[in-house]
Amino acid sequence: MTSPLLAVILGRQGSGKGTQSELIAANYGCIHLSTGDVLRAAVAEGTELGIQAQAVMESGSLVGDDIMVGIVADRLAAADIATNGVLLDGFPRTSEQADGLETILKNNNLAMTVALNVDVPVDVVTQRMLERGRSDDTAEAIQKRLELYDSQTAPLLDWFGARGLLETVDGVGSVNEVFARVSSAIDAHR
Ligand code: AMP
């Protein structure tokens, strides 16, 4: 039996990363941990975290690293992660979060399989996001998120690359075409 998948998926907002994440979770049997989904659920439930996160999310800024690392540390400590594996979607987003992740994995005796980078050009993702019209997708928030991706998250590609974990996948094409590329990138690391 192959060991459980422990993967990270990176890509600009609107890259199709969420759709690919669902396909990966379904095909590889791993848990899909989307930090954006965790925060949106907290907002919907009106928890303390949700109250803190809502304005930050609407403006397109990033929620604090300590909060985010804490959320992921709690989830990755559960026994089902070692059994089923996990796909981290939307985390890490900063180098502090990447360092936090390294510590969390070490503490739980887990090893990363692969970091997938779903690559879609800025003009293509901007158009996709304006079309999908989510309530937090104002033109200003979209631009802010894309800028933060380039300044805070894109440097993580080198971080994963230096560890021999990075696989960049062309994210332009149909959902099935992109998933075929994604799964061969995953399989190359197992
Ligand atoms: P997403 O669904 O991943 O695009 O996340 C939606 C929003 O949640 C982001 O624009 C951020 O405000 C916040 N968020 C999600 N994940 C993180 C993270 N790892 N670090 C900081 N903020 C995050």
Side-chain angles (χ1 to χ4, degrees), residues 11-14 17 34-40 53-65 67-69 71-72 89-94 97 129 132 134 136-137 141 144-145 148 153:
R12 293 189 171 88
Q13 197 195 16
K17 178 170 71 72
S34 156
T35 48
D37 284 352
V38 171
L39 294 172
R40 279 184 287 276
Q54 186 165 22
V56 176
M57 293 170 78
E58 278 170 4
S59 72
S61 304
L62 293 177
V63 174
D65 289 326
I67 294 176
M68 298 313 302
V69 172
I71 291 171
V72 174
D89 169 11
F91 181 96
R93 259 193 170 76
T94 65
Q97 292 180 17
M129 278 189 283
R132 104 184 157 179
R134 211 166 72 182
D136 59 349
D137 280 350
K144 177 88 182 271
R145 290 194 198 99
L148 279 176
T153 309

Side-chain angles (χ1 to χ4, degrees), residues 7 12 22 29 45 48 52 62 65 68 83 107 113 117 126 132 144 151 161 164 179 184:
R12 293 189 171 88
E22 282 165 23
E45 285 165 25
E48 199 182 319
Q52 280 183 36
L62 293 177
D65 289 326
M68 298 313 302
T83 311
N107 289 345
T113 315
N117 170 32
T126 307
R132 104 184 157 179
K144 177 88 182 271
S151 65
F179 184 65
S184 36

Side-chain angles (χ1 to χ4, degrees), residues 5 23-31 83-86:
L5 182 66
L23 288 171
I24 294 167
N27 280 271
Y28 290 85
C30 62
I31 291 154
T83 311
N84 300 313
V86 67

Side-chain angles (χ1 to χ4, degrees), residues 57-144:
M57 293 170 78
E58 278 170 4
S59 72
S61 304
L62 293 177
V63 174
D65 289 326
D66 290 349
I67 294 176
M68 298 313 302
V69 172
I71 291 171
V72 174
D74 285 348
R75 186 64 189 89
L76 294 197
D80 60 341
I81 299 290
T83 311
N84 300 313
V86 67
L87 175 68
L88 292 170
D89 169 11
F91 181 96
R93 259 193 170 76
T94 65
S95 57
E96 287 76 12
Q97 292 180 17
D99 291 339
L101 176 60
E102 198 162 49
T103 305
I104 295 167
L105 293 177
K106 210 179 336 156
N107 289 345
N108 292 286
N109 207 10
L110 300 167
M112 180 104 67
T113 315
V114 64
L116 300 158
N117 170 32
V118 181
D119 190 30
V120 179
V122 174
D123 53 330
V124 178
V125 295
T126 307
Q127 193 54 38
R128 283 186 191 173
M129 278 189 283
L130 289 170
E131 282 165 10
R132 104 184 157 179
R134 211 166 72 182
S135 67
D136 59 349
D137 280 350
T138 61
E140 297 77 40
I142 290 170
Q143 201 193 338
K144 177 88 182 271

